[in-house]
Structures are given as structure tokens and as C-alpha cells.
Amino acid sequence: MAPSAHCRAGVINEDMPEKVKNLILIASGKGGVGKSTVSTNIAMSLTKRGFATGLLDADIYGPSIPTMLGDAPKPESYDGKVIQPIERYGMKLMSMGYMVDPNVAMVWRGPMLAGAVTQFVNDVDWGELDYLIFDLPPGTGDIQLSLAQKVPVTGAVLVTTPQDVALADVFRAKAMFDRVRIPVLGLAENMSFFKCDGCGSEHSIFSKGGGQRAAKEMEIPFFGGVPLEPAVRECGDAGEPIVSFAPDSASSKAFHSISGALVEAVDKANAAAQDKEKRAGKLRIITS
């Protein structure tokens, strides 16, 4: 059952906020910063922490999740309406890469892309989840805006590398989320440094401290940095996240630290939202 770009594109399942507690957007503003690697390993870390977690690959043109989490049979639909997610490493997954031949190019316009992602939200049997992680495509286009308008998003996490060219785009992504009133929960820096196996020295391949400075300037939490380790790439190409394959590696520890910071930020955001609702309710009673 391939998603129809026109099927229920403007409708969000009303049960989503009840079944899925937290919807988190992982965004970068540009490609090439390892956003899918960060998304996958954050989701894996949350799963290992005991949270029921799903990962939705929202990059229709260039889906990465099937490579990073392994091939699987085409998702089934028992009734022709609801799609069963792929399950790998204790996570529920959905990606256009599982739906179509990998050699087929998705030659779709923006509204069709947004419609497909909306259907992945609506028509996949996600079940009860603590976290549904969205691995967004690069940029600030139709998919990002559609999700912002139609999905009850808890918040976003920005991913960057330390160099200026990546930081410029992450500022644009922050501006977009501010404009559509989605809270940015924090920033994670990928490829922060390379530690030489021979001499033990740390080498700042892509500059140093850029993520921390950007987070401070944007007044959002800095969730931490992930070192540049060959094993991260090797595990991604082999279809098993490094958090699963090598839990004691430096990168795995960094991803666990980032996911822990995310959980704290989500708890604070939810508590603030609940407090705001209570105050609004009291105000309605007083003024009625």
C-alpha cells in the first residue's frame, strides 16, 4: 500500500495526541550535518531508556532510515487503510524507502510530499508511543511547514556541525520554528571533534565550539556534541545504530547524553504547557 499524495492530506487523526505523547522534529536547515544519524541514535537511546519510540523518516526524496536501520519487507496493511510500521531494535519505523523501489526517483511537488508525510502520521498504526521522532529533510520548505500546521508538535531539536556554513542554516531553521510557534528544545552538535587513536589528541576538523556559541546566541540549551568516529559511519552503513552496536563508545555516550537532555527539556516544556492551560482555564471561569 503506497501512500496517496492526496489521501487525507489536510486531516490529522484526532487520536494522535492521546496515543503519541511527544512528537519531536529533528531539523538541520541544511544537508550534510548527519541529521539522520543523530535522529536514529537519539531514537535508539530513548528506546534503551525504556521509552516506547517511533522514528518517522520525513525525507521523501532521500530516505536514509532503511539504510541506517536495515532493509525490511514492504510494510503491510491488513485492511487496506492502516499501514503496519516496520519494527527494528525495539523501535517502530516508517519511511518512503520501505514503500518504493530504492532505484525509483520520487518526482513529486511540495504539496504531494507534505501529503505523504501527513499520511505517514495518520495512517500508520503507531500504537502507544512516548516519543515519535521525525527525521526532517533539509531546509525550511513544505514538509516542515505542513507538520507545523497540522501536527501537535512538542518541540524541535536542531542539529549542526561546528563550522560557520552549517551554523548559518541552523539559525534560519530556528527562525522558521519561531515563526510557526514551535518551541526549539535545544541544539546538538555533530562531528564536534576527531580523537586520534594513535596519539589520543582531539582534532577540531570542522572548527570548534560553534554549536555552543550558536545555542547561547539563540538562547536555547546546548544538548552536547558528538565526536567524529569512523564506527558511527560503519554502523550506519551496516544497518545498526552505534548506540546499539557499541554502547560504550564515545559517540554512544554522547548520544545518550543528548537524549537525556531532550527528555529533561520535553518534561519542562510539557509542564509549562500544562501550567499555561490551567491558568487559561481559571481565566475563562473568572471571565464567564
Side-chain angles (χ1 to χ4, degrees), residues 206-238:
F206 300 110
S207 188
K208 184 176 182 179
Q212 287 177 300
R213 292 192 298 272
K216 184 177 181 180
E217 187 171 339
M218 290 185 285
E219 297 182 336
I220 59 175
F222 180 65
F223 282 174
V226 180
L228 182 61
E229 269 191 309
V232 176
R233 191 273 306 164
E234 292 165 1
C235 288
D237 288 348

Side-chain angles (χ1 to χ4, degrees), residues 151-162:
V151 176
V153 176
T154 305
V157 176
L158 303 179
V159 179
T160 189
T161 51

